[in-house]
Amino acid sequence: MSVEAASVPLTALAWASGSSTCPNDFKLISTTFDGSNANFGKGFGMKSSYYLCCSSKPQGSVITDIQFVSEKESLPSGFYYIAEFLEPRASVSKKKRLCVKSVSFNTADVAVLDVQLTAKSKVILPHYTCIGDMNGFVLWCKKGRVRPLPKPRSINLDMRELSLEKGEAEPQSPAYNSSAASRPVHPNKLSKRRSTLEIKEGVYDTGNIYSISAMDGVPFALHPKFDCQPIGNVPLVNLNNIQIKSITDIENEYNYSFTVEKTAADRPQFRSALQSLEA
């Protein structure tokens, strides 16, 4: 058996007693990757047989995770036990149970694409994740993206169409699409207020939208409270009493001899305090 995952994600896992009880839309895993019989019911005291089967039939949801849960563990959040298609007297061991998690196909990014079984040996399947072992078999799963990643969009042409510069010819880049050159070129739409300003004033830089502010076109006028007209003749200020002083007059007027400070500095108490600070 080759290890090649299906191109579509799995939508369901189930137990079946054999090909007779396996539903038509499920695929029975009858043998392991290394060629052994994949009957989980074999062993001492086991009278019934059951096999793992999987389905990729679209059901609106896909399997995103698989786990083995022992009888002492609680069911993880968002998981549920897989269905059983068994004969009337057949039963599946409850010591360890298989559970899966499904989400809507529209919200799934990564899902389970394939499952494989190996006997308890040192066989390692490349690109597969080991889920765990049960009744002598090891379960492996392979995950992949449900849909490819979106291709990065080239924004060179879009940015060229959104350019705010008027009448400026741009050099054609190597990635420029010739079909875009045949498109009709529409002038940039200007607001009614901006068009009026361009006609009346003619001093604004219309090539840059940021050169127009919210105060453009608003007439300047003083508030009536500050628009005071002089009543009568304004009296002239008498400048005859202003005295112009020379530099010598200013130095003599503000001369200070520092006599008080020199007297205080000559005192013994001040000298001892000054010496203690210097020490």
Side-chain angles (χ1 to χ4, degrees):
M1 181 185 298
S2 61
V3 187
E4 294 182 358
S7 58
V8 292
L10 298 182
T11 57
L13 289 177
W15 296 113
S17 299
S19 57
S20 60
T21 58
C22 182
N24 295 330
D25 51 348
F26 279 76
K27 175 185 177 182
L28 189 72
I29 304 177
S30 58
T31 56
T32 64
F33 171 77
D34 40 5
S36 302
N37 187 7
N39 180 14
F40 281 81
K42 66 178 182 179
F44 180 78
M46 301 291 294
K47 298 181 180 180
S48 59
S49 60
Y50 55 96
Y51 297 84
L52 185 64
C53 52
C54 57
S55 174
S56 299
K57 181 181 179 181
Q59 298 180 0
S61 61
V62 294
I63 297 177
T64 58
D65 201 2
I66 305 174
Q67 285 190 19
F68 277 121
V69 179
S70 64
E71 57 182 353
K72 297 182 180 179
E73 297 176 342
S74 59
L75 190 65
S77 176
F79 285 76
Y80 61 90
Y81 297 117
I82 64 176
E84 298 179 359
F85 302 98
L86 306 175
E87 297 176 354
R89 296 183 179 181
S91 62
V92 177
S93 174
K94 298 300 186 290
K95 291 184 179 181
K96 185 177 289 188
R97 304 181 66 179
L98 185 62
C99 58
V100 297
K101 182 178 182 180
S102 299
V103 299
S104 174
F105 177 82
N106 297 328
T107 60
D109 292 331
V110 178
V112 177
L113 302 181
D114 188 32
V115 291
Q116 294 284 346
L117 293 173
T118 61
K120 259 191 173 180
S121 60
K122 296 182 180 180
V123 178
I124 298 177
L125 301 184
H127 309 296
Y128 278 70
T129 302
C130 180
I131 303 300
D133 62 277
M134 177 179 176
N135 291 8
F137 298 102
V138 180
L139 178 63
W140 304 78
C141 78
K142 183 174 184 179
K143 296 183 179 181
R145 298 194 63 85
V146 176
R147 57 185 65 85
L149 292 173
K151 296 182 179 180
R153 181 183 177 184
S154 176
I155 62 173
N156 294 335
L157 183 59
D158 296 338
M159 294 302 295
R160 183 180 295 106
E161 293 176 354
L162 294 176
S163 175
L164 297 177
E165 299 295 334
K166 283 183 58 180
E168 181 179 355
E170 296 183 358
Q172 293 185 359
S173 60
Y176 180 71
N177 191 356
S178 59
S179 61
S182 61
R183 300 180 183 176
V185 179
H186 300 284
N188 294 333
K189 295 183 179 180
L190 302 178
S191 63
K192 182 178 180 181
R193 177 174 175 273
R194 179 177 173 183
S195 301
T196 306
L197 290 175
E198 292 176 0
I199 296 174
K200 290 184 178 181
E201 301 296 336
V203 296
Y204 298 100
D205 182 13
T206 59
N208 190 353
I209 192 174
Y210 297 102
S211 64
I212 298 180
S213 66
M215 295 300 296
D216 292 338
V218 179
F220 176 79
L222 288 176
H223 193 275
K225 177 181 178 180
F226 304 100
D227 189 12
C228 300
Q229 299 295 333
I231 301 175
N233 296 327
V234 180
L236 297 176
V237 180
N238 188 7
L239 302 178
N240 296 327
N241 297 329
I242 298 178
Q243 298 180 359
I244 300 176
K245 299 181 181 181
S246 65
I247 297 177
T248 305
D249 296 336
I250 295 174
E251 291 180 350
N252 293 334
E253 183 177 354
Y254 295 99
N255 183 30
Y256 185 69
S257 62
F258 295 95
T259 305
V260 177
E261 287 79 7
K262 292 179 180 179
T263 304
D266 293 337
R267 294 177 182 177
Q269 298 85 347
F270 182 82
R271 290 182 179 178
S272 62
L274 183 60
Q275 292 175 358
S276 62
L277 292 175
E278 292 178 353

